[in-house]
Amino acid sequence: MQTKTKPFAWELKDQEWDRYQQEFNKFKKATRKHERATERKRKQRAREKAAMEKPTIDSILHDSNPQPLAVTIAEASRPYRQLQRQARSKRTRNLGRKRKWGDTDALRVNWQSPLLWPTIEMAALRVGHGMSPVQIERELK
């Protein structure tokens, strides 16, 4: 028969120390996990903010220094789309059904948009005599 012996005091201290170490390691692991999640979220927010910072339509159309277009003419001819996107992004809560498709750029140009008339008139002046609509369209494209 085996008899249970009472553990020595130093053995109890070792067991207590081991339990303390395990609890400390759990806490340390949870803290590291939280820090990594925070960093991932910060990077995600920075990416989303960079994607949202597109130049405005007015700055593109009336800029004296022509640069590669970040906004297409088709997108610039539809300013209400940009307003809708801004209003949707400012909502604090998600209302309604989730969007199935992301935002896409406009394909067709609304030539009757008042924002485009200064650009059309400049192209007509560059084309010159006759103001052929086909030549103006080629100049604009």
Side-chain angles (χ1 to χ4, degrees):
M1 262 187 139
Q2 290 183 350
T3 60
K4 289 189 176 181
T5 59
K6 194 173 184 183
F8 292 109
W10 59 270
E11 289 178 327
L12 288 174
K13 285 183 182 178
D14 284 348
Q15 290 173 356
E16 188 176 315
W17 178 254
D18 287 342
R19 254 186 271 121
Y20 172 76
Q21 275 300 115
Q22 288 174 352
E23 290 295 320
F24 181 75
N25 288 340
K26 278 185 193 177
F27 176 75
K28 194 173 174 183
K29 184 178 179 181
T31 305
R32 266 189 271 127
K33 185 176 179 180
H34 178 71
E35 288 172 355
R36 286 192 304 264
T38 304
E39 183 65 20
R40 273 195 314 273
K41 192 64 175 179
R42 186 189 64 76
K43 287 180 181 178
Q44 177 190 2
R45 287 183 180 132
R47 281 193 309 269
E48 289 172 355
K49 185 177 180 182
M52 292 295 288
E53 292 176 354
K54 289 185 176 179
T56 62
I57 294 170
D58 285 334
S59 68
I60 296 294
L61 291 177
H62 303 296
D63 193 8
S64 60
N65 299 339
Q67 297 173 348
L69 292 177
V71 176
T72 62
I73 294 175
E75 192 67 32
S77 69
R78 290 161 165 48
Y80 187 66
R81 288 170 60 113
Q82 188 176 20
L83 293 174
Q84 284 179 322
R85 287 180 188 153
Q86 288 173 353
R88 208 179 304 123
S89 68
K90 286 183 183 177
R91 283 192 205 137
T92 56
R93 295 182 289 165
N94 291 331
L95 300 174
R97 186 169 60 177
K98 289 184 181 178
R99 295 178 61 82
K100 205 179 244 188
W101 306 104
D103 291 334
T104 57
D105 289 337
L107 298 176
R108 296 183 178 176
V109 178
N110 179 11
W111 293 108
Q112 297 175 352
S113 172
L115 293 173
L116 289 181
W117 279 104
T119 310
I120 293 170
E121 289 172 355
M122 292 294 289
L125 290 174
R126 283 194 298 261
V127 167
H129 182 69
M131 288 191 168
S132 167
V134 174
Q135 289 179 341
I136 293 173
E137 183 184 356
R138 285 182 188 147
E139 180 68 28
L140 287 170
K141 287 182 178 181

